[in-house]
Amino acid sequence: MPADFPRLRRSPGPRPGTGIVHLGLGAFFRAHGAIYIAEAMAASGGDWGILGVSLRHPDQRDRLEPQDYAYFAVELGPEGATPRPIEVIEDMRVAPEDPAGVLAAMADPGVRIVSLTVTEKGYCHAPATGRLDRGHPDVLHDLGEPLPRSAPGFLVRALERRRAAGLPPFTVLCCDNLPDNGHLLRGLVLEMAGEIDAGLADWIEAEGAFPCTMVDRIVPATRPENIDWVAELTGCHDAAPVLHEPFRQWVIEDRFVGAARPDLAAVGVQLVREVRPFELMKLRMLNGAHSALAYLGYLAGYETVAEAAGDPAFAAFLRGMWQEEVIPTLAPPEGEDLAAYAETLLTRFTNPAIRHRNWQIAMDGSQKLPQRLLGTIADNLAAGRPSRRLALAVAAWMRYVGGTDEAGQAIDVRDPLAERLRALSDGAADPATRVSALLAMREIFSQALASEPGLRDAVTAAYRALAERGARAAVAEIGT
Ligand code: CS2
């Protein structure tokens, strides 16, 4: 039992200064960016300690503070579990408790990078347009009040302070799975800054840097039982371990304010001029397949990605989707072979040591579908190629957000648009009406895509197959 183990503590010794503020300090960043940054400092030095910020809940801070922000990252690979202590978080703040403290930290002259993993919905934008969601309560609040609530609001107000203090801006390093993530966030920050002070927006535009990035590592949410298991494994009680697969990749556009950054190249980060081909490959092949598996797998009764991807019918479905519907839309990034990348994905998805719940990936589909599935479908329509498997994945999302599974059980749908999605589903009598009602959601489906008869017909046919025969049969019917 964890009570019998001593609490994990940070080792004594010199500490680097804080050079990075990270917004959204969750499991993903602690298992990915934080490890690269710790390794870069071990390799080449530098004051790149991280101050973590939780924008919503105190849980991570409450777990990490008693162990001085040290934690174990446990790699789950074919040879078993390998724990490794990570000591790169210097401090933490919880934004709703102390927004002024967060702004002061971001305006500190030693801070040169503000990185973010706040999930898709944390950017308070409309996914179909990439613009700020002007109806979002946090956006409305942040446009009127100096102490912000949203991630874009913290960036704008902290940059305002730095400008007033005569400091350079920090580099804004977006590490979420969004298309053109740096450009997107730059647009949102400029949009909000422009409403507050046009001179501020001009300064950010001229002096700021918002590199695009592609981030990749599968990191399932830590479950309560993992904490006991990590205690047995390490002999220490860690209240906030992270579990991750061996694979990792980080591609960053090499554009930092004053070229100030940790020596990431020394630890395998790819610093490139053009991130877009990497990002499209990853969003469409990995995340697109993840979302397809999440909805279809959940409906078919599979709890985890590994269980679903381990079903030969699902594996054949994924291979067909990649080969016929996704790879033809992509230009291979330098050094990548897309067919080999697809096979690696299947191996990663079937890693039996990773218990990544379909339900976790199914969250926030309204924010994920455009960049994971819909852009690919739009490209296929334009090229006259079919998207049968992608259409089945979209139909599965529509079934899922209806809130009832194939056994008649309620689904706990987590999505910022969950209520509307449910109301639209409930108000439609048959598959064709339901599909049309959901395609009319402009935050998700652009007018151009929704009015394509090719899309509507394919999704409606797929929806019927799901309703009449169930997800497993629908997946198997599509064949290879
Ligand atoms: C997943 C991602 O939760 C999700 O939506 O698709 O978190 C995925 O595991 C990562 O992007 C992998 O890099």
Side-chain angles (χ1 to χ4, degrees):
M1 292 301 289
D4 300 336
F5 292 97
R7 186 78 182 236
L8 171 67
R9 291 255 168 245
R10 191 175 170 135
S11 43
R15 291 166 167 236
T18 298
I20 298 175
V21 170
H22 184 81
L23 305 184
L25 192 84
F28 179 77
F29 182 75
R30 293 199 289 119
H32 182 267
I35 298 180
Y36 276 110
I37 291 161
E39 289 176 8
M41 278 195 289
S44 312
D47 284 324
W48 296 107
I50 300 167
L51 181 137
V53 176
S54 290
L55 287 175
R56 306 242 167 271
H57 311 293
D59 325 12
Q60 294 269 345
R61 190 267 326 267
D62 293 351
R63 287 168 184 270
L64 286 164
E65 190 179 33
Q67 51 201 57
D68 208 5
Y69 308 105
Y71 59 93
F72 282 111
V74 186
E75 182 169 302
L76 302 172
E79 284 91 43
T82 317
R84 175 178 168 191
I86 307 295
E87 305 187 336
V88 69
I89 312 294
E90 299 299 328
D91 201 357
M92 272 194 82
R93 304 260 185 286
V94 179
E97 289 174 7
D98 183 16
V102 173
L103 287 179
M106 294 168 78
D108 187 277
V111 167
R112 285 146 292 154
I113 296 174
V114 173
S115 50
L116 301 91
T117 46
V118 296
T119 79
E120 293 86 347
K121 64 176 178 286
Y123 294 90
C124 308
H125 72 302
T129 63
R131 310 259 308 166
L132 271 183
D133 175 0
R134 296 300 181 106
H136 195 295
D138 290 352
V139 172
L140 293 171
H141 173 273
D142 290 0
L143 287 171
E145 302 287 334
L147 290 178
R149 285 186 188 152
S150 71
F154 274 103
L155 294 171
V156 169
R157 292 295 181 179
L159 288 165
E160 185 181 39
R161 288 193 185 201
R162 294 181 77 99
R163 177 173 178 239
L167 290 170
F170 41 69
T171 297
V172 179
L173 195 63
C174 177
C175 301
D176 277 295
N177 290 313
L178 287 161
D180 269 335
N181 57 9
H183 296 147
L184 177 90
L185 182 51
R186 179 174 185 267
L188 300 173
V189 166
L190 290 177
E191 192 180 337
M192 189 181 274
E195 294 282 325
I196 291 169
D197 172 353
L200 174 64
D202 290 345
W203 179 76
I204 297 171
E205 195 164 15
E207 309 289 329
F210 296 76
C212 286
T213 69
M214 181 272 251
V215 292
D216 191 8
R217 175 165 261 181
I218 291 173
V219 184
T222 302
R223 303 183 188 202
E225 63 265 29
N226 299 144
I227 292 176
D228 295 358
W229 176 76
V230 172
E232 299 285 347
L233 184 73
T234 62
C236 277
H237 171 52
D238 174 359
V242 288
L243 277 50
H244 61 79
E245 64 169 341
F247 184 94
R248 66 177 184 174
Q249 191 174 13
W250 199 2
V251 185
I252 304 179
E253 182 186 353
D254 198 4
R255 183 141 57 85
F256 286 75
V257 176
R261 58 166 168 77
D263 188 5
L264 296 167
V267 293
V269 175
Q270 293 160 269
L271 291 146
V272 301
R273 282 188 52 201
E274 183 68 80
V275 173
R276 197 169 164 75
F278 292 94
E279 167 215 285
L280 280 181
M281 170 185 79
K282 196 263 175 171
L283 281 174
R284 291 184 173 189
M285 291 185 69
L286 188 156
N287 296 111
H290 246 181
S291 288
L293 275 178
Y295 300 115
L296 288 162
Y298 186 99
L299 292 173
Y302 291 121
E303 196 196 344
T304 65
V305 171
E307 285 167 17
D311 176 335
F314 275 77
F317 173 90
L318 287 181
R319 286 198 170 103
M321 185 178 115
W322 285 319
Q323 276 153 23
E324 290 173 24
E325 302 180 18
V326 185
I327 291 178
T329 72
L330 299 171
E334 211 185 317
E336 299 280 354
D337 169 340
L338 297 178
Y341 185 80
E343 281 309 308
T344 307
L345 287 182
L346 205 50
T347 309
R348 292 170 64 192
F349 288 176
T350 48
N351 179 344
I354 299 274
R355 291 189 53 74
H356 203 181
R357 293 173 75 190
N358 289 318
W359 176 81
Q360 188 191 343
I361 298 165
M363 269 189 236
D364 298 339
S366 68
Q367 316 293 304
K368 294 175 175 173
L369 249 51
Q371 59 273 19
R372 296 182 176 206
L373 301 172
L374 304 181
T376 321
I377 293 176
D379 285 355
N380 284 338
L381 283 167
R385 272 188 306 264
S387 300
R388 287 184 308 141
R389 298 172 186 86
L390 295 164
L392 184 63
V394 173
W397 167 76
M398 290 180 172
R399 284 276 285 170
Y400 184 91
V401 297
T404 309
D405 73 12
E406 290 177 2
Q409 301 295 314
I411 303 175
D412 179 7
V413 178
R414 302 279 175 94
D415 193 295
L417 303 181
E419 273 177 38
R420 270 175 63 211
L421 293 166
R422 180 64 181 266
L424 286 172
S425 295
D426 287 352
D430 57 84
T433 328
R434 187 167 288 183
V435 168
S436 294
L438 291 166
L439 286 178
M441 292 198 65
R442 283 294 154 270
E443 299 93 328
I444 308 171
F445 300 93
S446 69
Q447 175 71 47
L449 188 61
S451 54
E452 282 278 357
L455 175 73
R456 182 178 309 258
D457 295 349
V459 176
T460 307
Y463 193 101
R464 285 214 176 88
L466 290 172
E468 287 163 13
R469 297 186 291 286
R472 174 129 207 315
V475 163
E477 279 164 20
I478 281 194
T480 47

